[in-house]
Amino acid sequence: MGELLRTTDLHRLFRMGDAGVPAVDGIDLSVGEGEFVSIMGPSGCGKSTLLYLLGGLDRPTRGEIHLGGHRVDRLSRSRWARLRRRQIGFVFQTFNLVENLTVLQNVQLPGMLGARPGRRAATRRRAVALLEELGVGDKAKALPGVLSGGQRQRVAIARALMNEPPLLLADEPTGNLDSATTTDVLGLLRRFHAAGQTVVMVTHDPRVATTAAQRLLAMRDGRVVDDVRLNGGTGAARALRDLIDR
Ligand code: ADP
Ligand code: MG
């Protein structure tokens, strides 16, 4: 298994007046191609900041990020934007849909950016197919405002998968969902992973963290304090107990 993602001595310090908040405080991480990694940790420990750094939505104050063997932490904004469009899907807890575009337009958006005019019909077909696959095909013409939380998250996932990114970064993708919808969304992520893609998912729900992932990282105070393999079933339960007991 090749390495997809690597960070070395990664730091993100937020300046707050005279003080500084070390949101990410020295993280060395390696994620292999095709891994499904969950990240858990208390609120404020730096999970979102880490994910934003990995996706190029924020910049480290120190350290390096390598994606597919290329150093990316010093890329220009436009290079990052292009890279992200092809390589990374992002799913946020709050969905981040564009409210005045229809569901279909939201999903098409990543496919349209930078696409040649001749690609547009294909983009539309793929967006329609994704929405159908995710069970919200009948909402294509609706505005996001009329959707339930679960429907919005399905649309957000369809959008993240639009360009078939090898890497999916998900920040509490089930944080605002009921348990039935959570199970559905986890099923979608699992299928995505089974198709060979790499998933890094932040969650504070132990069940969500261990259902689909093969590896669990525990964060505290901007650092990774544990990194365990999950073998499903009892292995996952034991790993969690170990984390809680320490
Ligand atoms: P988590 O996602 O684990 O809840 P975050 O990554 O959102 O944690 O935040 C980590 C720390 O960094 C927190 O102390 C938070 O207040 C701080 N922080 C996050 N974003 C900013 C920001 N834009 N400006 C200042 N401080 C921030
Ligand atoms: Mg967060």
Side-chain angles (χ1 to χ4, degrees):
M1 184 171 64
E3 185 181 64
L4 182 68
L5 193 62
R6 180 159 55 90
T7 72
T8 49
D9 196 33
L10 196 66
H11 288 258
R12 176 62 164 109
L13 183 75
F14 289 110
R15 298 192 189 287
M16 303 287 281
D18 289 342
V21 180
V24 165
D25 197 22
I27 289 186
D28 297 286
L29 178 64
S30 170
V31 176
E33 270 170 42
E35 269 196 298
F36 193 137
V37 182
S38 288
I39 302 177
M40 287 189 77
S43 179
C45 73
K47 305 182 296 295
S48 294
T49 303
L50 174 61
L51 221 59
Y52 278 51
L53 292 173
L54 296 180
L57 300 173
D58 187 19
R59 298 290 182 148
T61 36
R62 196 165 102 207
E64 298 181 9
I65 305 172
H66 297 252
L67 185 62
H70 300 281
R71 184 163 177 189
V72 294
D73 53 273
R74 294 208 179 134
L75 292 181
S76 68
R77 272 174 93 94
S78 62
R79 294 276 313 274
W80 244 125
R82 233 182 312 152
L83 178 76
R84 199 162 43 234
R85 209 180 296 145
R86 278 177 291 124
Q87 306 284 334
I88 303 177
F90 225 110
V91 179
F92 303 88
Q93 179 178 5
T94 50
F95 318 127
N96 287 14
L97 299 176
V98 182
E99 297 296 329
N100 57 359
L101 293 182
T102 67
V103 161
L104 182 62
Q105 288 167 335
N106 265 279
V107 176
Q108 280 177 282
L109 207 50
M112 298 301 253
L113 295 169
R116 282 172 285 112
R119 296 281 312 149
R120 301 214 161 159
T123 297
R124 186 187 165 88
R125 276 198 302 277
R126 174 162 169 78
V128 168
L130 271 170
L131 285 170
E132 268 162 20
E133 196 184 340
L134 299 187
V136 282
D138 58 328
K139 305 292 181 205
K141 297 210 167 105
L143 291 174
V146 306
L147 304 183
S148 69
Q151 290 167 336
R152 291 169 80 88
Q153 194 59 299
R154 285 161 199 264
V155 174
I157 291 174
R159 182 184 55 184
L161 301 184
M162 183 64 208
N163 290 349
E164 301 182 81
L167 175 63
L168 185 73
L169 302 173
D171 192 2
E172 313 233 15
T174 62
N176 285 325
L177 305 179
D178 61 50
S179 72
T181 314
T182 292
T183 303
D184 286 351
V185 166
L186 282 175
L188 293 172
L189 296 181
R190 231 178 181 151
R191 245 166 57 214
F192 179 77
H193 174 238
Q197 277 129 326
T198 307
V199 182
V200 179
M201 176 182 71
V202 165
T203 178
H204 56 236
D205 181 335
R207 185 179 73 93
V208 169
T210 54
T211 308
Q214 306 155 311
R215 182 176 167 200
L216 176 62
L217 301 179
M219 279 186 70
R220 194 155 303 167
D221 300 331
R223 294 164 188 267
V224 173
V225 295
D226 231 316
D227 185 346
V228 294
R229 300 265 150 206
L230 303 173
N231 303 311
T234 55
R238 193 168 57 239
L240 268 181
R241 264 203 311 279
D242 287 351
L243 279 179
I244 293 162
D245 287 347
R246 73 181 46 236

